[in-house]
Amino acid sequence: MLKKRSDIYSLLVALILLSMGGLPISCYTETALPIDLDFELSYVNDDESVPVFMDITNETEGADTYEWTFVGGEPTGSTDRNPGVVAYAKAGTYNVGLKASNTDGVVETLEKEITVLEGITVDFDMAIVDNDFPPMTVNLVNNSPGENLTYSWVFEGGEPATSAERHPGQVVFETPGDHHVSLSVSNEFETLTQESTVRVAPDISVDFDYTIDEGDEDMQAPVAIQLSMDAISATSYLWTFEGGSPASSTQAEPSVVFNDPGVHAIHLEVTNGKRTANLSKELEVLEDTNLRIFDNLAFGVVQAHNSDQVGAIFSAELGRVLSQQEVTEENGATLDLVFFGLNGNFGVNKFVSPDEAGTNGFATIPGAGSTRIINSLEHCACGIAFSSIDFDTMVNDTPLQNFVITETSGGIAAFDATVNPRIILFQTADGRKGAVKITDFVDQGTASYIRADLKIQKLPN
């Protein structure tokens, strides 16, 4: 039996020649079968980046055995005709080799080169240097692994605006608001991009206002004020008060007293270590008259007060007339005058001392002081003359300083509505003197009240 294809081939040739009158069968020559060697390589899913999977298709003809070598691959070799898929975990350029042979002793070799690109993972960190106030500096750190890659940075609103460096270093953002930062990494086959956002704080700015302490609303020296600040992106503050006490402060919202009349400058400088903002305002302090003035006060009759419709008890410290439910143990000592009005007919009216409220139709006032009162100057026989014109023209406490307020039976007597306007003089428990000018008697039934203006010393003389 012929065991080799070359024997069969030679025999066929000899028979053909014999039939054509050629050489005899015993004279044929043996010829080896050739190998047509070839194979194809293709990237699985067309992915050339690590990890790469290479599909190998053998297109060889005329071979019986195969010896594959896959440098850098897994597996590293094979003797199968079709070895299938080879994996590459590291970027580089590699040879795929095939050595094929047949039973005729023919051996052929073929190598092909493949390129495995670096895999792409995009990762970067941003760290703000110092603080986020403009100009804000950001330090960029590229954590993307791999070599032989290209990088494209974009810094929206930054300086620089772009970079092709792997590690671009620091970027400065001047404009407040959100800014997009992106990094694109490419291996020439594919490109991946990561985006992030940095926020620049608002630029530094400053404004401030102040409130006048209770009792100083007339702006007469001394005037105490409380500052309130509206600053953005500020970390430290410096106040200066021209003519104030204290003269300066580093508190965010200090208080200050201006003891002398005049126009005083208030200046605030704020900073954040990068930029500074300034603002100045003026405060006018008036000459001290030692007189507090209250216009158009309403004092209710007894029923109006006790039903909390219209109050009847005045406090200069609180700056208003209080109704029954507003009188407490805490404010009882601050009350200066109590108006007693019997009803809306206004036939019986008088001002009484706070410590006499309980005997005049009112609830007893806790902690009440004693006020001396002259309800009827015309009947007091106390040697004091003070008209409504004197009241209107009084711009300081000079007219009150020499008054000696002495209670007499005629002076504390009740009055009616026949004299209008009417002047009432008084002196509080702590020695402050004052005057009331009744301007109107308003009949509203149980809510009836008198209308009055009042002037009182700030401090006793």
Side-chain angles (χ1 to χ4, degrees):
M1 176 179 294
L2 297 174
K3 296 182 180 180
K4 296 172 58 178
R5 281 179 291 180
S6 58
D7 294 339
I8 297 172
Y9 179 78
S10 299
L11 178 58
L12 290 173
V13 172
L15 291 173
I16 293 170
L17 292 174
L18 181 60
S19 64
M20 297 176 62
L23 295 174
I25 293 177
S26 60
C27 297
Y28 73 87
T29 301
E30 188 175 286
T31 302
L33 184 66
I35 296 176
D36 184 9
L37 184 61
D38 196 14
F39 59 86
E40 291 294 328
L41 305 173
S42 61
Y43 295 93
V44 175
N45 297 324
D46 293 327
D47 187 355
E48 300 178 25
S49 302
V50 171
V52 164
F53 298 93
M54 187 66 67
D55 190 13
I56 302 175
T57 302
N58 193 349
E59 297 181 348
T60 300
E61 297 293 340
D64 297 304
T65 62
Y66 308 91
E67 183 180 345
W68 296 90
T69 55
F70 312 119
V71 177
E74 177 59 39
T76 59
S78 175
T79 58
D80 293 338
R81 173 177 173 83
N82 289 296
V85 176
V86 178
Y88 293 86
K90 186 176 180 181
T93 300
Y94 303 103
N95 288 330
V96 175
L98 174 58
K99 179 180 178 181
S101 61
N102 60 23
T103 55
D104 288 342
V106 178
V107 177
E108 298 288 349
T109 60
L110 177 63
E111 285 189 347
K112 292 188 177 182
E113 188 178 86
I114 64 168
T115 299
V116 176
L117 301 177
E118 188 71 63
I120 299 176
T121 300
V122 185
D123 182 28
F124 65 90
D125 290 328
M126 298 185 295
I128 296 173
V129 179
D130 295 332
N131 55 53
D132 61 352
F133 303 133
M136 183 181 78
T137 301
V138 176
N139 192 54
L140 280 300
V141 177
N142 189 352
N143 299 318
S144 305
E147 301 294 334
N148 301 316
L149 300 173
T150 58
Y151 307 94
S152 177
W153 295 87
V154 176
F155 312 115
E156 181 185 64
E159 176 59 41
T162 62
S163 176
E165 298 293 329
R166 180 170 187 170
H167 299 291
Q170 294 185 342
V171 179
V172 178
F173 297 89
E174 288 274 356
T175 307
D178 291 340
H179 301 269
H180 297 294
V181 175
S182 67
L183 169 60
S184 296
V185 181
S186 177
N187 61 10
E188 299 181 0
F189 165 70
E190 62 180 342
T191 300
L192 296 183
T193 301
Q194 177 180 311
E195 290 189 356
S196 189
T197 301
V198 294
R199 175 167 293 178
V200 182
D203 209 350
I204 192 168
S205 65
V206 64
D207 193 9
F208 68 85
D209 205 347
Y210 55 82
T211 55
I212 310 299
D213 279 11
E214 189 173 347
D216 289 342
E217 293 87 352
D218 59 7
M219 298 304 296
Q220 295 179 16
V223 174
I225 66 172
Q226 174 66 49
L227 280 302
S228 59
M229 180 182 62
D230 183 14
I232 298 175
S233 297
T235 57
S236 62
Y237 326 96
L238 177 60
W239 296 87
T240 53
F241 309 112
E242 182 184 90
S245 178
S248 63
S249 176
T250 56
Q251 296 180 14
E253 297 185 331
S255 57
V256 60
V257 177
F258 295 94
N259 292 297
D260 300 319
V263 178
H264 302 274
I266 302 172
H267 182 76
L268 173 59
E269 178 180 283
V270 298
T271 183
N272 57 24
K274 294 180 179 178
R275 291 178 178 171
T276 300
N278 294 271
L279 180 65
S280 292
K281 294 184 179 181
E282 291 184 339
L283 176 73
E284 184 177 8
V285 177
L286 303 177
E287 192 77 35
D288 181 22
T289 64
N290 197 34
L291 195 67
R292 299 191 65 191
I293 300 174
F294 301 90
D295 295 326
N296 203 30
L297 298 175
F299 289 88
V301 299
V302 173
Q303 189 172 2
H305 173 83
N306 290 337
S307 61
D308 295 313
Q309 296 182 78
V310 184
I313 303 176
F314 173 76
S315 169
E317 181 176 326
L318 300 179
R320 58 191 179 90
V321 178
L322 283 71
S323 63
Q324 177 61 47
Q325 69 174 357
E326 294 178 302
V327 177
T328 66
E329 292 184 4
E330 289 74 22
N331 63 30
T334 71
L335 307 181
D336 300 313
L337 280 176
V338 179
F339 170 70
F340 173 86
L342 183 62
N343 52 45
N345 293 328
F346 298 108
V348 179
N349 315 280
K350 61 181 178 179
F351 281 90
V352 299
S353 174
D355 61 355
E356 297 176 352
T359 60
N360 284 275
F362 301 94
T364 300
I365 298 173
S370 178
T371 298
R372 297 198 295 270
I373 299 170
I374 302 176
N375 283 306
S376 300
L377 279 172
E378 66 270 32
H379 298 125
C380 76
C382 53
I384 298 177
F386 193 74
S387 68
S388 62
I389 295 177
D390 294 331
F391 179 95
D392 293 339
T393 57
M394 182 171 59
V395 295
N396 56 47
D397 74 330
T398 300
L400 299 174
Q401 291 178 9
N402 296 323
F403 288 164
V404 178
I405 308 298
T406 303
E407 289 188 338
T408 65
S409 58
I412 63 174
F415 56 86
D416 57 24
T418 57
V419 176
N420 187 25
R422 172 175 288 278
I423 298 297
I424 290 90
L425 298 179
F426 63 92
Q427 184 173 354
T428 64
D430 61 358
R432 290 169 294 132
K433 300 170 188 176
V436 177
K437 183 179 82 168
I438 298 174
T439 59
D440 199 8
F441 295 84
V442 182
D443 183 1
Q444 290 190 346
T446 61
S448 297
Y449 62 92
I450 64 169
R451 185 73 64 185
D453 299 331
L454 188 151
K455 297 180 180 181
I456 184 174
Q457 289 178 315
K458 295 180 182 179
L459 298 172
N461 63 297

